[in-house]
Amino acid sequence: MRPAVIAAAAFLAAPAAADPFEDFGTTMKYGLPLAAAVCAADQGRFEDFAIRGAAQAVIVLGLKAVFDGSELGTRPSGLGRGFPSGHSAAAGFGAADLAGKCFDDPGLGAVAYGAAGLTAASRVHAGEHTPAQVLAGSLIGISFGAASFGFGGEGASFDFGLRF
């Protein structure tokens, strides 16, 4: 899959108007998984991608419910359902899938992970999450993005995609 097509898919979901850094984070929340979905469909592994994406979303939403009302689940604004960060999880999921399964060039994988890291930072910058909340979301997303469950013919595996 050509990196330009994946990059174009990543930027399709540009938000209307807000702080530019926050806009970037919201765009990557949708754009990185969308680009990874395009790649997964092109490579014939969309079933596994969709199952992993749904599983990470269910876990994130479940943890938000479990920790709602606790100190860990409280956002900097005082609102609840802050643990873990869903934006960070979605961006991490997309970045890890792209880096581990779509990009042959480790530099492109580093760019994807960088975009996911900036997404997490944008959530702290916007006052929506604490560093612990975005770290947890990022780790959940990256874990599910780097994994392959073996559905649709592929064997189960785990690949972060950065080769040194």
Side-chain angles (χ1 to χ4, degrees), residues 39-150:
C39 176
D42 183 60
Q43 293 177 345
R45 55 179 188 79
F46 187 77
E47 180 182 9
D48 188 76
F49 173 86
I51 290 168
R52 289 182 293 114
Q56 73 88 26
V58 166
I59 287 173
V60 166
L61 292 173
L63 288 171
K64 282 181 176 289
V66 167
F67 288 100
D68 192 29
S70 71
E71 184 177 336
L72 184 60
T74 303
R75 295 172 184 262
S77 65
L79 298 174
R81 299 185 58 84
F83 180 85
S85 166
H87 280 67
S88 300
F93 174 76
D97 189 86
L98 288 168
K101 299 165 185 67
C102 300
F103 297 148
D104 292 330
D105 180 356
L108 292 174
V111 169
Y113 280 121
L118 288 172
T119 299
S122 79
R123 302 307 287 161
V124 174
H125 170 79
E128 292 294 329
H129 291 285
T130 65
Q133 292 167 344
V134 299
L135 178 61
S138 295
L139 291 174
I140 291 167
I142 289 169
S143 296
F144 278 92
S148 288
F149 290 169

Side-chain angles (χ1 to χ4, degrees), residues 20-47:
F21 192 38
E22 191 175 351
D23 281 351
F24 176 82
T26 300
T27 299
M28 292 300 102
K29 171 191 176 180
Y30 297 109
L32 287 168
L34 176 61
V38 169
C39 176
D42 183 60
Q43 293 177 345
R45 55 179 188 79
F46 187 77
E47 180 182 9

